[in-house]
Every structure is written in C-alpha cells, then in structure tokens.
C-alpha cells in the first residue's frame, strides 16, 4: 500500500501500527465482504464477468494462516490475492476504502457474537426459571443489607435473577438492529464516484439496512460501545448472582453446594471446595467494565471522520464480548447443577425475627391501629431478641399505644400465624410476590418468553445465514 508514496517501513513501526492480532477475528468476514463487493461490481459493470471469476477463484483458499505480513488483514488479503492472480486482483478494491471495509467486517463478526450471546443469555434465563419452578414451595430467608429481612421462596429469589437476565436479552436484541447495518460503500468517508449499489451489498451480506451517511458510516463506533455497555450491565447482573453462590456455598450459610465441575480445591488444604468459577465471573466483570471504559476513552473527542485511534477500540470489543459469553455459559452450568440445601434454607427462613413485618401488618389488619404505631410496637419486641408472646405484645402495645391487642381479637392463633414463615409467604400473593401460586404463574409466563426468544433468535440467524449461504455460492 505504501507503493510510490512512502518509503520502506521499519519492523518496529510496522509492529506498532499493526492490527493483525485483533484482525484474526475478522479475516473470514473480510473475505465475505470482498465477495459481496465483487458481486456488486460485476452487476454494475465495474468489473467484467471474466475478471470477477478470476478474482473470486483467487480468493478461494485464502485464510488467516495463508496470509503474509501487512498492517492489517485487508492489506494482507489483497497482497495475497494479487500474488495469486496478478494485477487484476487490484480491481477488487474499486469504489471502497479500508475504512468502510473494516467497519463492515466488525459489524459482521459482532452480530454473530451477539446472536451467540443472545442464545447463551436465554439459556441462562431458562436454567434460572427451571430451578425456580422446582422450588415454588421452598421457603428461604430473604435479605436486605445482607441481613435477614422477610421470608420468601427460592422460586421468588431465582426469578428475580431471571428477570434481570431477560432485560439483558432485551438490551442485546435492541442493539442488534443498530449493529446489523451496513457501512460498505461509504469508502474513505466521502462516498465514491463509481456507480456502486450499497443496498445490494447490504442485502448480499445479510444486513437489515444501511448506515446511510458515508461520514457517519466509517467513523462511528457507537454500535461497538453499545454492545460493550450491554455486556457490562449483563456482567454486573452475573456478578450479583455469582456473589450469592459464593456466599451461599460457605459453611456459614450452607445454602447451596456447587457441582464439582465448577469448583476447585486447594493445593495445600485437601478439604477445600472453592467456588473458583463464580469468583472468576465476579473478577472478569471488572475486565469487561475496563473494556467498555477503554473503548469510551478511545472514541471520545475524535473529530470527524475516520481516525486511526479507532483501531484500538476493536480489541476491547473482542475481549469484552468473549469474556461475557464465557461468563454466561459458566453461570448457566452453575445454576443448572447446583444443589440447594432446602432443609437449611427453610430452617433459616424465620431467623432474625424476619416475620416482624407480617406481625406489624397483622396488628394493623386485626386491631385497626395505624401501621406506624404497629411498627413501633413490633420494634420494641424485636429489641428484646426473643420470640414474643401475646403477653409481651400486650405490654409493649399498652406502653406505646395505650391498648392491648389481645382485647381486640389478636390472640395466640393470630400471633402464631404472623410468626410462621410459610404463612408469611402465602399471604404475599399479589402480582410479583413470593407466594407459591404466584411464582408458579411467573415461571409459566417466563417459560413462554424463553420460547419466544428462541424463535426470535432462529429467525434473526436464519436471515443472515440464508444471505451468506447464497453469497458463498456465487462464482
């Protein structure tokens, strides 16, 4: 490419400016872009049928391993092609630039990664929902501030994680429509004087439309930033789930045992079963955050249009997406294979006076006192750190409110019901609550959503695969 314009380049400078390591991701995509561009050039009469045939034949057999040196994969492919078919190979670059070429390649690979990630996210949601459906009746302690708060069900807890993952799916699905737009034909930034057909190459490559403005097409990386942002949010949600699996698997909690496949032992302490994969999900979350922040810092304050800085954003994309996909798969396997210790969970469900809220609510319903008054009465009982009796309740209420609940219909049966974790959960049957009937309804609803997501992914992938399959057959 330096040709007659520039002199020789030193090895150090070539290494500094080279993108070949990151370009391994896009080599196959570049060959598809070359083929689509050639088909369009032939159809527009910009290369002859014979030239088209020679160039396409020359592209056959070229892959990352066969390429020689070069600043980037685009230059290396063109050089390899010309070495095989001669000067006619140079016609392949008619009406385009490396700027629109690389932007197109990144989008092709990224959409494939997002389609794969969508499948994996849906699989994780499925694992969470299936485990929830199995545990609609499993009473567990609920926490706020990592302290016992109110009893809930394991189904309710797992569905909370699942719903966060469903939102991650929605974000990725929405970003796909902006990723799957073709910048090809924008050339360096100012379009081209050749009579090209951008819509045709978009169709051949399975894109849903164009990034129309040619300056925007080559210079924007907002689609990349959006994919990394979605990945960072997804990783934040995964890290919360990982943290709970780590805590719950400790001796202090003892609520879950992770499968051997997702744990390791100590090099010196043979009794250890460490939740290493969950810890690495938690750790890799920081790496994905770093990829996003790095890409944002690279892209900020760049003037229109293309700048070489953008080359440095791409490795962060591949790193962030790759780490995220691996983490999602690990968490799906961890959840599917985990053994929840339901006896211990149920035994802990009433610890820490976690039924206090229902006791206050029951006082309001039965004795008709204001909730804030009931809150004060129960708070006084909680300060004693003992299971309250009706006598304790009467004494606290008389001192605080000048009334005795036992004289207003709040007796032993009512107190026992208010202090029973299972009764607490059964009472909370409002929409989205932890009651078994409600979590079963939610699980059924989420299973339908998973099936809809599966159909959507098949449809999205099918459109791309059909286009690329047809393109590969063109000779």
């Amino acid at each position: 490419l330096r040709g007659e314009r520039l002199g020789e380049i030193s090895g150090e400078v070539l290494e500094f400016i080279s993108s070949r390591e990151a370009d391994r991701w896009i080599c196959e995509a570049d060959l598809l872009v070359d083929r689509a561009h050639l088909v369009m050039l032939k159809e527009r009469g910009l290369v002859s049928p014979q030239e088209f045939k020679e160039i396409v034949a020359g592209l056959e057999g070229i892959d990352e391993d066969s390429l020689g040196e070069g600043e980037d994969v685009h230059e290396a492919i063109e050089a390899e092609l010309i070495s095989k078919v001669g000067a006619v190979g140079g016609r392949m670059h008619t009406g385009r630039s490396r700027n629109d070429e690389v932007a197109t390649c990144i989008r092709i690979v990224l959409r494939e990664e997002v389609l794969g990630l969508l499948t994996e996210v849906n699989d994780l949601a499925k694992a969470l929902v299936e485990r929830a459906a199995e545990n609609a009746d499993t009473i567990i302690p609920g926490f706020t501030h990592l302290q016992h708060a109110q009893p809930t069900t394991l189904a309710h807890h797992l569905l909370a994680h699942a719903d966060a993952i469903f939102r991650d799916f929605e974000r990725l699905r929405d970003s796909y429509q902006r990723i799957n737009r073709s910048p090809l034909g924008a050339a360096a930034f100012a379009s081209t004087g050749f009579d090209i057909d951008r819509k045709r190459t978009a169709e051949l490559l399975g894109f849903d439309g164009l990034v129309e403005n040619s300056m925007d097409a080559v210079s924007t990386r907002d689609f990349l930033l959006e994919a990394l942002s979605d990945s960072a949010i997804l990783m934040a949600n995964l890290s919360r789930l990982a943290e709970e699996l780590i805590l719950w698997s400790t001796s202090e909690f003892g609520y879950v045992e992770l499968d051997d496949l997702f744990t390791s032992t100590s090099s010196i302490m043979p009794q250890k079963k460490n939740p290493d994969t969950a810890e690495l999900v938690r750790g890799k979350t920081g790496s994905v955050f770093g990829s996003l922040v790095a890409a944002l810092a690279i892209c900020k304050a760049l003037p229109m249009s293309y700048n070489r800085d953008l080359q440095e954003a791409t490795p962060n994309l591949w790193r962030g997406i790759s780490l995220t996909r691996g983490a999602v798969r690990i968490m799906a396997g961890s959840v599917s294979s985990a053994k929840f210790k339901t006896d211990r969970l149920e035994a802990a469900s009433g610890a820490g006076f976690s039924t206090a809220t229902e006791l206050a609510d029951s006082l309001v319903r039965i004795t008709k006192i204001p909730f804030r008054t009931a809150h004060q009465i129960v708070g006084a009982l909680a300060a004693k750190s003992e299971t309250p009796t009706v006598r304790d309740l009467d004494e606290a209420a008389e001192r605080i409110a000048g009334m005795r609940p036992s004289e207003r219909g709040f007796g032993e049966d009512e107190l026992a019901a208010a202090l029973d974790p299972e009764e607490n959960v059964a009472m909370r049957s409002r929409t989205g609550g932890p009651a078994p009937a409600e979590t079963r309804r939610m699980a059924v609803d989420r299973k339908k959503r998973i099936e809809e997501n599966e159909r959507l992914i098949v449809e999205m992938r099918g459109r791309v695969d059909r286009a690329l399959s047809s393109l590969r057959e063109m000779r």
Side-chain angles (χ1 to χ4, degrees):
L1 284 181
R2 297 174 72 85
E4 297 296 322
R5 177 64 179 85
L6 301 173
E8 292 295 321
I9 189 170
S10 74
E12 183 178 2
V13 172
L14 179 60
E15 182 179 356
F16 184 77
I17 67 175
S18 174
S19 62
R20 288 295 296 277
E21 185 61 34
D23 286 350
R24 291 182 179 277
W25 284 77
I26 64 172
C27 183
E28 183 180 352
D30 194 278
L31 292 165
L32 288 170
V33 170
D34 290 341
R35 187 180 290 267
H37 188 65
L38 283 165
V39 169
M40 182 275 295
L41 291 177
K42 182 188 74 168
E43 292 175 351
R44 304 299 287 182
L46 295 170
V47 299
S48 70
Q50 181 59 34
E51 289 170 331
F52 171 80
K53 188 174 294 187
E54 290 178 27
I55 297 171
V56 169
L59 289 173
E60 299 290 346
I62 294 179
D63 57 26
E64 175 65 31
D65 295 333
S66 69
L67 298 178
E69 292 185 357
E71 287 183 24
D72 53 45
V73 71
H74 324 294
E75 178 189 349
I77 288 174
E78 188 173 358
E80 178 69 13
L81 175 65
I82 292 173
S83 74
K84 290 176 69 175
V85 304
V88 68
R91 287 193 174 276
M92 182 176 70
H93 208 61
T94 303
R96 74 175 185 188
S97 163
R98 284 188 296 177
N99 295 355
D100 60 332
E101 188 177 359
V102 68
T104 307
C105 293
I106 293 169
R107 287 173 182 268
I108 287 173
V109 176
L110 180 55
R111 76 181 176 193
E112 183 62 28
E113 292 295 314
V114 169
L115 285 170
L117 183 52
L118 282 168
T119 298
E120 290 152 358
V121 167
N122 204 44
D123 287 344
L124 173 55
K126 184 176 182 179
L128 288 163
V129 171
E130 286 179 346
R131 298 310 304 271
E134 296 167 5
N135 288 281
D137 296 307
T138 303
I139 309 298
I140 70 168
F143 297 88
T144 63
H145 308 279
L146 205 56
Q147 299 192 44
H148 287 262
Q150 293 177 265
T152 185
T153 55
L154 184 53
H156 191 234
H157 192 105
L158 293 173
L159 286 170
H161 283 295
D163 281 359
I165 298 302
F166 280 121
R167 291 192 295 275
D168 288 313
F169 183 96
E170 291 167 2
R171 274 186 285 271
L172 287 162
R173 179 198 64 200
D174 291 345
S175 70
Y176 181 87
Q177 65 182 327
R178 285 176 286 280
I179 293 166
N180 200 33
R181 300 278 166 177
S182 175
L184 193 60
F189 80 93
S191 186
T192 177
F194 290 101
D195 183 24
I196 64 170
D197 185 347
R198 294 187 64 197
K199 290 183 179 179
R200 177 59 172 150
T201 51
E203 175 190 345
L204 289 166
L205 290 166
F207 286 109
D208 295 328
L210 298 175
V211 186
E212 190 174 69
N213 184 288
S214 61
M215 185 178 292
D216 180 43
V218 300
S219 63
T220 185
R221 292 297 184 271
D222 56 5
F223 68 95
L224 176 157
L225 298 174
E226 186 174 5
L228 279 173
S229 179
D230 292 347
S231 297
I233 296 170
L234 169 56
M235 287 297 292
N237 286 330
L238 294 184
S239 188
R240 295 182 71 192
L241 176 57
E243 173 71 3
E244 288 187 343
L245 291 177
I246 293 164
L247 286 172
W248 285 21
S249 65
T250 62
S251 299
E252 287 73 16
F253 280 80
Y255 294 166
V256 68
E257 181 180 356
L258 297 177
D259 189 85
D260 290 356
L261 182 63
F262 300 100
T263 61
S264 69
T265 189
S266 165
S267 63
I268 190 172
M269 297 171 283
Q271 84 282 7
K272 296 297 293 294
K273 187 175 185 180
N274 300 324
D276 281 15
T277 54
E279 289 174 348
L280 283 169
V281 168
R282 192 174 58 183
K284 289 175 188 291
T285 298
S287 297
V288 176
F289 288 0
S291 294
L292 170 60
V293 172
L296 284 166
I298 290 164
C299 293
K300 65 96 181 166
L302 290 181
M304 287 291 183
S305 104
Y306 182 82
N307 297 271
R308 194 66 177 263
D309 310 50
L310 294 175
Q311 177 178 302
E312 288 299 300
T314 312
N316 289 290
L317 172 65
W318 304 142
R319 174 173 167 78
I321 289 289
S322 179
L323 290 174
T324 302
R325 291 190 64 181
V328 172
R329 293 192 295 269
I330 287 295
M331 293 311 296
S334 297
V335 169
S336 295
S337 59
K339 296 177 182 177
F340 291 102
K341 299 182 179 180
T342 56
D343 289 346
R344 187 171 177 112
L345 282 161
E346 290 178 348
S349 62
F353 201 3
S354 66
T355 54
T357 301
E358 179 52 36
L359 177 54
D361 287 348
S362 295
L363 284 171
V364 172
R365 282 193 296 269
I366 296 171
T367 70
K368 308 305 180 184
I369 61 176
F371 176 78
R372 190 54 58 206
T373 302
H375 186 284
Q376 291 176 324
I377 293 169
V378 176
L381 296 176
K384 296 176 65 176
S385 301
E386 298 175 1
T387 302
T389 64
V390 172
R391 180 178 177 180
D392 294 330
L393 188 61
D394 278 347
E395 289 177 355
E398 189 166 31
R399 176 173 57 83
I400 292 169
M403 53 81 70
R404 297 172 69 86
S406 62
E407 295 175 355
R408 298 192 183 186
F410 198 97
E412 296 290 348
D413 291 344
E414 290 73 22
L415 178 61
L419 297 179
D420 183 353
E422 190 171 345
E423 288 287 336
N424 271 240
V425 168
M427 291 281 292
R428 283 154 173 78
S429 58
R430 309 293 83 75
T431 301
E438 178 58 9
T439 57
R440 287 192 181 96
R441 181 200 65 77
M442 286 192 282
V444 170
D445 175 80
R446 275 41 168 195
K447 287 179 180 179
K448 291 178 182 176
R449 193 183 306 180
I450 289 165
E451 292 173 359
E452 291 170 0
N453 289 345
E454 288 174 349
R455 287 193 292 269
L456 177 63
I457 295 167
V458 169
E459 180 184 328
M460 294 163 69
R461 186 179 290 280
R463 287 199 298 269
V464 171
D465 288 348
R466 285 190 295 272
L468 296 184
S469 178
S470 297
L471 175 60
R472 289 187 177 99
E473 293 173 3
M474 292 181 177
R475 297 288 188 270

